[in-house]
Amino acid sequence: MEPPQPNNKKRVGIVGLGLIGGSLGLDLQKQGYEVYGLVRNSAIVDRAKVRGLAQVIDTNPKILKSCSVIILALPLSQIIKPPKELVTSIPLNAVVTDVGSVKTPVLKVWEKLHPKFIASHPMAGTNEAGIDAGKHDLFKGRPWVATPNEDTDHASLEVIHKLVLSLGSKWITTNSQKHDEAVALISHLPVLVSAALLHTTSQKEEKNSEATLAKLLASTGFLDTTRVGGGNPNLGLDMAMNNTEAILDVVNLYKASLEKLERMLYEKKWDMLSDELSHAQSIRSHFINT
Amino acid sequence: MEPPQPNNKKRVGIVGLGLIGGSLGLDLQKQGYEVYGLVRNSAIVDRAKVRGLAQVIDTNPKILKSCSVIILALPLSQIIKPPKELVTSIPLNAVVTDVGSVKTPVLKVWEKLHPKFIASHPMAGTNEAGIDAGKHDLFKGRPWVATPNEDTDHASLEVIHKLVLSLGSKWITTNSQKHDEAVALISHLPVLVSAALLHTTSQKEEKNSEATLAKLLASTGFLDTTRVGGGNPNLGLDMAMNNTEAILDVVNLYKASLEKLERMLYEKKWDMLSDELSHAQSIRSHFINT
């Protein structure tokens, strides 16, 4: 599909200019949108201006009054409990979307707050955060999931669809429960699995001195496996608090998978273990080739 | 410490010219060593010659007769059960080392086979394997662990020490048990943890269709966390077979770490979970800064 021509007159308000909001600001301006950025802290206004994250940057929510599209690029916890003055500054005729990593609780809150709300989630990121993290082309080629329900306004969905395509993202729609179960599996479970691996090295350190040697020997494999578990704790906490049931469900499946491998070592079932490791290799290749 | 000047007359035999052996061949020649490469399969001799992995490349173990240093760059299982004709082709006065990822079983076999054996393990690698995998500077800046014991010949240890420094590696000595416990923690446990994560996505797929969505949404975080678990199954099997007890020990610690996190989600102990995720972030930063 051809990316649609952006509407040059469209004014987009971005709430929060961190990694996601800042990247959106850079790319949307490049696509011809007029971008207004709302930040919480006056100390970062100048830095955001120097970086050119938006044409207008302010700490006053009133700047949203003239925007026809508003993107909530806040941490999940703030999207779910939005400040009252933010909500009252959003014009009723604006199309509003968010970028939170869990969709059911967001939809539950915002479908009551705004008639033209579209719950969405760009599957893109880096390890960076803050006003200096935003970068061009962060969303290019990455999935951007929207989770409409029966009450969703179709014209508003189409507005976000067009905006997302202009960023070069792959548009996917599903329901919020399916989205939340999928991210529990491929995004939230890895955080816990990986954090537990870091904790294990620390427990071992308390027991004896091999962990010091382990630190000297740790290679790229260890660093890759622990990257998401050693990431921003606030992101991990937000996921855990807002997608608890789906995460607990996959943690249970995970423990069974790990115990199956453990039993093969314990019982020295080497042929079975070999098959399971080959299976793991094959599963991953499907993820890469999708 | 200044890297020592290589002895230009030293002839090094490398047994196996895969990722590790091939990389050694390239770098040792650059350092002025004369390199003889022994390969198992006549079909790859030409390719190894075209790549310049060694000056002399042959399938006949007799080429080792004139080498003063011999490096066993074979899969761990073959180092532990070496072909008889390989053992009989190694001259008694040659210093021999290996590159196997578990040291106690290697030392047990080879200290009986050869008087000048040094058990060692370069902590370097890529996802590649085979005759085309070898590359320059693979060992530069990476740890290279030797595990001498009370019977180890000190002059031989010094020969390997100098060779390793000439590659730009960091030389570390410890005992084989400590080495094996450390790699169980930072190298072998991550393989199982990561393979179990891949299996979980596959189990979920059997249950319903969310795994298909998960495949579409999987981001770099998932791919990083599963890289070592989706790697070469033969390497994983070799580790499991030869370091079983140490791995089972850390799997137990790991399960306790994961269950602690799980309990915090289940009981909604968000402050505790926040502390644990911050702790994980801090632990990882120590690994990066070591």
Side-chain angles (χ1 to χ4, degrees):
Chain A
M1 192 196 287
E2 285 278 305
Q5 291 306 307
N7 177 346
N8 287 317
K9 288 170 190 158
K10 203 150 250 173
R11 185 174 293 169
V12 179
I14 304 179
V15 184
L17 292 174
L19 171 65
I20 300 295
S23 300
L24 282 170
L26 292 170
D27 278 359
L28 289 175
Q29 288 178 85
K30 207 173 164 189
Q31 292 303 319
Y33 290 94
E34 196 181 5
V35 177
Y36 280 26
L38 175 65
V39 296
R40 182 204 288 215
N41 189 334
S42 61
I44 57 171
V45 169
D46 286 347
R47 182 67 194 146
K49 281 181 180 167
V50 169
R51 294 208 64 217
L53 300 180
Q55 279 105 331
V56 171
I57 299 169
D58 208 307
T59 57
N60 189 338
K62 294 219 170 75
I63 62 163
L64 300 177
K65 287 287 178 202
S66 63
C67 297
S68 59
V69 175
I70 291 167
I71 304 174
L72 308 171
L74 296 167
L76 184 59
S77 53
Q78 291 173 42
I79 297 172
I80 290 171
K81 288 183 183 169
K84 195 169 184 181
E85 65 170 340
L86 168 64
V87 177
T88 53
S89 301
I90 293 175
L92 268 184
N93 62 347
V95 175
V96 179
T97 191
D98 77 309
V99 301
S101 63
V102 186
K103 299 274 53 102
T104 305
V106 169
L107 200 50
K108 198 174 162 189
V109 169
W110 277 89
E111 67 184 356
K112 286 172 195 152
L113 288 178
H114 195 82
K116 294 183 169 189
F117 181 74
I118 302 300
S120 82
H121 179 203
M123 306 297 299
T126 70
N127 261 352
E128 309 299 315
I131 203 75
D132 284 308
K135 52 179 273 194
H136 276 292
D137 292 330
L138 183 67
F139 309 102
K140 205 169 186 170
R142 298 295 314 153
W144 189 307
V145 189
T147 60
N149 63 14
E150 62 272 25
D151 298 325
T152 299
D153 176 57
H154 284 277
S156 301
L157 184 66
E158 214 37 46
V159 167
I160 302 302
H161 183 186
K162 278 184 187 153
L163 181 142
V164 163
L165 290 187
S166 82
L167 298 167
S169 293
K170 295 185 224 164
W171 178 253
I172 295 170
T173 59
T174 185
N175 72 49
S176 66
Q177 191 193 334
K178 281 189 180 170
H179 167 276
D180 292 353
E181 287 183 13
V183 294
L185 187 63
I186 51 100
S187 172
H188 306 170
L189 175 63
V191 170
L192 295 182
V193 158
S194 169
L197 190 55
L198 287 162
H199 291 154
T200 307
T201 67
S202 167
Q203 276 186 276
K204 191 82 182 164
E205 194 164 39
E206 284 159 21
K207 277 181 68 186
N208 55 39
S209 65
E210 271 78 73
T212 313
L213 180 62
K215 269 177 202 158
L216 288 172
L217 304 191
S219 190
T220 50
F222 181 80
L223 292 178
D224 283 351
T225 318
T226 56
R227 188 171 71 78
V228 297
N232 185 339
N234 297 327
L235 290 180
L237 186 65
D238 265 358
M239 293 168 179
M241 289 177 71
N242 294 295
N243 205 16
T244 318
E245 293 310 312
I247 296 173
L248 285 171
D249 178 42
V250 289
V251 167
N252 254 327
L253 289 177
Y254 177 80
K255 282 164 62 185
S257 295
L258 183 63
E259 278 166 5
K260 194 171 166 193
L261 295 175
E262 183 190 24
R263 211 157 47 239
M264 288 172 194
L265 261 85
Y266 188 76
E267 296 175 5
K268 301 193 192 298
K269 303 279 194 206
W270 306 129
D271 286 348
M272 287 172 78
L273 182 63
S274 175
D275 287 348
E276 289 294 313
L277 293 173
S278 297
H279 186 209
Q281 188 180 39
S282 145
I283 296 167
R284 188 166 184 276
S285 70
H286 294 310
F287 274 88
I288 295 172
N289 299 328
T290 297
Chain B
M1 192 194 288
E2 284 279 304
Q5 291 306 306
N7 177 345
N8 287 318
K9 288 169 191 158
K10 204 151 248 173
R11 185 173 292 168
V12 179
I14 303 178
V15 183
L17 292 174
L19 171 65
I20 301 294
S23 300
L24 282 169
L26 291 170
D27 278 0
L28 289 174
Q29 288 179 84
K30 206 173 164 189
Q31 293 302 319
Y33 291 94
E34 196 181 4
V35 177
Y36 281 27
L38 175 63
V39 294
R40 182 204 284 215
N41 188 334
S42 60
I44 58 171
V45 169
D46 287 346
R47 182 67 194 147
K49 282 181 179 167
V50 168
R51 294 209 62 215
L53 300 180
Q55 280 103 332
V56 170
I57 297 167
D58 207 307
T59 58
N60 189 337
K62 293 217 170 75
I63 61 162
L64 301 177
K65 286 289 179 199
S66 63
C67 297
S68 60
V69 175
I70 290 167
I71 304 173
L72 308 172
L74 296 167
L76 184 59
S77 53
Q78 290 173 42
I79 298 173
I80 289 171
K81 289 185 182 167
K84 196 170 183 181
E85 64 169 343
L86 168 63
V87 177
T88 55
S89 301
I90 294 175
L92 268 184
N93 62 348
V95 175
V96 179
T97 192
D98 77 308
V99 301
S101 63
V102 186
K103 300 273 53 99
T104 306
V106 168
L107 200 51
K108 196 173 164 190
V109 169
W110 277 89
E111 67 183 356
K112 286 174 194 150
L113 288 176
H114 194 81
K116 296 183 167 187
F117 181 75
I118 303 299
S120 82
H121 179 204
M123 306 297 299
T126 70
N127 260 353
E128 308 298 315
I131 203 74
D132 284 308
K135 51 179 273 195
H136 277 291
D137 293 330
L138 183 67
F139 310 102
K140 204 170 187 171
R142 298 297 314 153
W144 189 307
V145 189
T147 60
N149 62 15
E150 61 273 24
D151 298 325
T152 298
D153 177 56
H154 283 277
S156 300
L157 185 65
E158 216 33 51
V159 167
I160 301 302
H161 182 186
K162 278 185 186 151
L163 181 142
V164 162
L165 289 186
S166 82
L167 298 168
S169 293
K170 296 185 222 164
W171 179 252
I172 295 170
T173 60
T174 185
N175 72 50
S176 66
Q177 193 194 332
K178 280 188 182 169
H179 167 276
D180 293 352
E181 287 182 14
V183 294
L185 189 62
I186 52 99
S187 172
H188 306 170
L189 176 62
V191 169
L192 295 182
V193 158
S194 167
L197 190 55
L198 287 162
H199 291 154
T200 307
T201 67
S202 167
Q203 276 186 276
K204 191 82 181 165
E205 194 165 40
E206 284 160 21
K207 276 181 68 187
N208 54 39
S209 64
E210 272 77 72
T212 313
L213 180 62
K215 268 178 202 155
L216 287 173
L217 304 193
S219 189
T220 50
F222 182 80
L223 292 179
D224 282 350
T225 318
T226 56
R227 188 171 70 79
V228 298
N232 185 338
N234 296 326
L235 291 180
L237 187 65
D238 265 359
M239 295 168 178
M241 289 177 72
N242 294 295
N243 205 17
T244 318
E245 293 310 312
I247 297 173
L248 285 172
D249 179 41
V250 290
V251 167
N252 254 326
L253 290 176
Y254 177 80
K255 281 163 62 184
S257 295
L258 183 63
E259 278 166 5
K260 194 171 164 192
L261 295 175
E262 183 191 24
R263 211 158 45 240
M264 289 172 194
L265 262 84
Y266 188 75
E267 296 175 6
K268 302 193 190 298
K269 304 279 192 205
W270 305 129
D271 287 348
M272 289 173 77
L273 182 64
S274 176
D275 288 348
E276 289 294 314
L277 293 174
S278 297
H279 186 209
Q281 188 180 38
S282 145
I283 296 166
R284 188 166 184 275
S285 70
H286 295 310
F287 274 89
I288 294 173
N289 299 327
T290 298

